[in-house]
Amino acid sequence: MVRTLAQGMVKNFLGHSPEWYKLTIIGFLILNPLLYFVLGDQIGPYAVGWILVLEFIFTLAMALKCYPLLPGGLLALEALFMGLTTPGGVYYELKHGLEVILLLVFMVAGIYFMQSLLLFTFTKILLKVRSKVVLSLLFSFVAAFLSAFLDALTVTAVIITVAVGFYSIYHKVASGKHFHHEHDHSTDDTVEELHRSDLEQFRAFLRSLMMHAAVGTALGGVCTIVGEPQNLIIGGVAGWDFIEFAIRMAPVTVPVLFSGLITCVLLEKTGIFGYGVKLPEKVLHILQDFDAEQTAKRTNSEKAALIAQAIVALWLVIGLMLHLAAVGLIGLSVIVLLTALNGVTEEHQIGKSFEEGLPFTALLVVFFAIVSVINDQGLFKPVINFVLHLEDTKQIAGFYIANGVLSAISDNVFVATVYIGEVRDALVNGLIERDTFDLMAVAINTGTNIPSVATPNGQAAFLFLLTSALAPLIRLSYVRMVIMALPYTIVMSIVGLLAVMYLLTPATNHMYDNHMITHHSVAEINGQGEDH
């Protein structure tokens, strides 16, 4: 009986994760206290802290094996019990990350109620534009524009929903069924031989479109304070509002945006790295017939809902641009307005809107716990000191590169949170000037957002796409995603680095001279001078 229970507990631990992964996490949990309490005098808490951070980065890199909240949370709990940090230290980090937590809780949920409008928009783009180059450019640009004002995860979720819907429609017809029939689109067993080549071509078409859109969310997300969670953390520490954040980032983000869109066009023109595949004519006709049928069936109530969503979307943009309230509170207002105007009155209906954002919100709290370990043990001090002793231009470029490399293998929110905290401390301790801090903040933001498109580990939107129901349908694997992202990674990262080195400082000085932005003081830094 005891043996059976033990086997059951082992089987339940981390669910369906591979056995080697479970054993690795167990090994981490045994190794850490052994090193800390038994060999602590020889290696010290600093080394144990670094081992814990590397273990946590491993859980982020292995996110497809198990959602990092579980193993990362266990490591964070262990760090607290071992005394590598304190509950007070974690609460300190949470307190200064409250605005981004509100963003993930309320803004993501608010955009959930705009899905009909976003679905309508992307559907019309897909069916009305016949040129694959123009279509890819539009998908990338619209995803970028929406991600600058909304949330990259939600925009990605909407595009995935469009793709799954269209895929299931064609798969159903290719299997000899009609639109209204029940059908399992996860298997090709019933697909007629006549349609198999078109199906493979359709998969390749959707893969390229999804990657263009995913990169688009990164291109737009880096531009504004609400585009990505780490932007809000960085902007919050610096004390920048929506407009100032966008202006300060522009010397880097604008060249990167144009380089990304040009790369999109060139990839479609050349057809390399898996791009350039066109939508088969047979598939297009089937999708057009389905859309016409759905349009004819659209009720006045559904049309009114679309109008209401468009009006609230306008309010959202105005509220963010004028910084009328904290981002999360504007998100809450979107929930209230759209549920009231569209008649979503039951608790369980509203509850669904929070499902997407809350797991990542919980993971963010775990990030803050690991950040607290890094701060309490001074783990990043040597790296920061090395970069701070470089010459001015090399300093800023050094932060861009350091953040970019780490964000490509880890998670960009985690990396940004660590580095902006370290740079803030350097400013408060008089190691750097306030203007230098502002330039470093731009380098950290762009460094964590741009090179992180290299792998799904760094960008939440990429990971969301890879773990979605769509990925296996269109045969989008981890390796294929990395290969398809490679040209974007190279071009955008190099353009970003050159902009940081040669454009950022003179452009920022020009903006000071023309009163587009103002100099800030050390006293305006959020979180300085408080007890940790």
Side-chain angles (χ1 to χ4, degrees):
M1 179 69 177
V2 173
R3 184 179 177 185
T4 307
L5 282 173
Q7 289 174 336
M9 290 180 69
V10 171
K11 185 178 180 181
N12 287 344
F13 180 71
L14 299 184
H16 298 294
S17 301
E19 289 300 316
W20 68 264
Y21 182 84
K22 295 182 180 183
L23 292 173
T24 301
I25 298 303
I26 291 171
F28 289 164
L29 295 172
I30 294 172
L31 176 66
N32 294 336
L34 185 67
L35 291 174
Y36 188 71
F37 293 112
V38 179
L39 301 176
D41 293 337
Q42 285 80 14
I43 62 174
Y46 180 86
V48 177
W50 258 115
I51 291 168
L52 184 93
V53 169
L54 293 174
E55 290 168 350
F56 181 70
I57 290 174
F58 170 82
T59 67
L60 296 174
M62 294 288 109
L64 293 179
K65 305 300 180 186
C66 179
Y67 191 62
L69 173 63
L70 285 67
L74 289 172
L75 290 171
L77 284 171
E78 186 176 65
L80 283 164
F81 282 114
M82 286 165 55
L84 288 173
T85 189
T86 63
V90 177
Y91 180 73
Y92 170 89
E93 300 297 339
L94 281 175
K95 186 168 64 174
H96 293 291
L98 180 60
E99 197 165 354
V100 75
I101 291 173
L102 290 175
L103 164 75
L104 289 170
V105 173
F106 294 123
M107 184 61 81
V108 175
I111 306 306
Y112 173 87
F113 295 106
M114 283 188 188
Q115 284 193 356
S116 297
L117 178 66
L118 297 173
L119 277 168
F120 178 83
T121 302
F122 280 105
T123 299
K124 294 305 178 187
I125 291 172
L126 183 58
L127 295 181
K128 298 295 183 185
V129 179
R130 296 301 302 119
S131 167
K132 177 66 190 306
V133 174
V134 176
L135 179 64
S136 300
L137 196 59
L138 271 174
F139 255 68
S140 186
F141 179 77
V142 173
F145 179 80
L146 290 174
S147 296
F149 292 98
L150 309 179
D151 169 74
L153 271 181
T154 306
V155 174
T156 306
V158 169
I159 300 170
I160 288 170
T161 304
V162 173
V164 170
F166 283 152
Y167 179 87
S168 63
I169 292 159
Y170 177 68
H171 202 279
K172 191 180 294 185
V173 174
S175 301
K177 298 178 181 177
H178 294 288
F179 298 144
H180 60 277
H181 287 162
E182 292 294 323
H183 177 66
D184 179 12
H185 56 256
S186 62
T187 175
D188 292 348
D189 293 342
T190 58
V191 175
E192 297 170 357
E193 198 63 38
L194 182 67
H195 292 285
R196 285 190 179 271
S197 61
D198 282 340
L199 179 60
E200 288 305 316
Q201 187 177 339
F202 188 35
R203 281 176 172 145
F205 169 82
L206 287 176
R207 275 198 304 271
S208 62
L209 217 53
M210 289 301 102
M211 287 303 296
H212 288 313
V215 172
T217 63
L219 288 171
V222 67
C223 294
T224 67
I225 197 167
V226 296
E228 294 281 354
Q230 68 269 24
N231 301 16
L232 200 56
I233 294 171
I234 293 166
V237 171
W240 300 335
D241 61 19
F242 185 95
I243 294 174
E244 182 175 5
F245 186 98
I247 291 173
R248 285 184 177 274
M249 294 298 154
V252 182
T253 56
V254 172
V256 169
L257 174 62
F258 281 106
S259 69
L261 295 177
I262 291 169
T263 303
C264 172
V265 173
L266 292 176
L267 287 172
E268 286 300 322
K269 287 284 189 182
T270 58
I272 57 176
F273 291 95
Y275 294 97
V277 181
K278 293 179 171 60
L279 178 64
E281 284 296 326
K282 291 178 185 176
V283 179
L284 175 63
H285 294 321
I286 290 169
L287 297 180
Q288 286 175 334
D289 290 344
F290 175 78
D291 183 57
E293 183 181 303
Q294 292 298 109
T295 301
K297 287 163 53 178
R298 187 171 288 123
T299 64
N300 288 331
S301 177
E302 290 170 336
K303 292 176 184 176
L306 288 174
I307 294 170
Q309 289 173 38
I311 293 170
V312 175
L314 182 62
W315 147 248
L316 173 64
V317 172
I318 293 171
L320 291 173
M321 290 189 69
L322 298 181
H323 200 62
L324 298 179
V327 177
L329 297 181
I330 293 174
L332 180 58
S333 74
V334 170
I335 296 173
V336 172
L337 290 170
L338 286 180
T339 50
L341 293 172
N342 292 337
V344 183
T345 57
E346 296 185 18
E347 184 180 359
H348 74 274
Q349 291 177 298
I350 298 171
K352 287 181 182 177
S353 66
F354 291 92
E355 290 176 2
E356 185 182 300
L358 285 183
F360 190 74
T361 307
L363 179 59
L364 185 67
V365 174
V366 174
F367 286 167
F368 288 140
I370 301 299
V371 169
S372 183
V373 172
I374 291 170
N375 286 336
D376 286 356
Q377 302 304 324
L379 301 186
F380 277 42
K381 286 288 190 293
V383 179
I384 299 295
N385 289 337
F386 171 77
V387 175
L388 290 177
H389 282 89
L390 296 173
E391 295 175 15
D392 290 346
T393 305
K394 291 180 180 178
Q395 272 187 4
I396 312 303
F399 276 105
Y400 177 89
I401 294 169
N403 280 269
V405 171
L406 276 176
S407 294
I409 59 172
S410 180
D411 181 274
N412 52 13
V413 180
F414 169 64
V415 175
T417 305
V418 171
Y419 271 94
I420 196 64
E422 292 290 341
V423 173
R424 177 191 63 204
D425 292 344
L427 173 64
V428 172
N429 294 327
L431 299 177
I432 57 175
E433 301 288 332
R434 173 61 210 246
D435 285 354
T436 304
F437 166 85
D438 289 334
L439 293 172
M440 288 178 175
V442 174
I444 291 169
N445 185 68
T446 52
T448 52
N449 274 290
I450 296 166
S452 60
V453 300
T455 70
N457 306 337
Q459 281 278 352
F462 277 49
L463 185 61
F464 187 63
L465 173 59
L466 186 63
T467 55
S468 70
L470 177 66
L473 298 179
I474 62 175
R475 310 297 188 257
L476 184 62
S477 64
Y478 185 99
V479 173
R480 182 170 269 169
M481 182 176 274
V482 171
I483 291 171
M484 294 183 77
L486 183 60
Y488 277 115
T489 305
I490 294 170
V491 172
M492 290 162 55
S493 298
I494 292 174
V495 171
L497 177 59
L498 293 174
V500 166
M501 292 177 67
Y502 300 111
L503 292 180
L504 179 58
T505 301
T508 302
N509 289 335
H510 175 77
M511 289 187 282
Y512 282 134
D513 293 340
N514 289 275
H515 308 292
M516 297 169 67
I517 54 176
T518 58
H519 294 278
H520 291 278
S521 66
V522 178
E524 294 175 77
I525 286 291
N526 289 329
Q528 67 133 337
E530 296 179 39
D531 293 333
H532 194 297

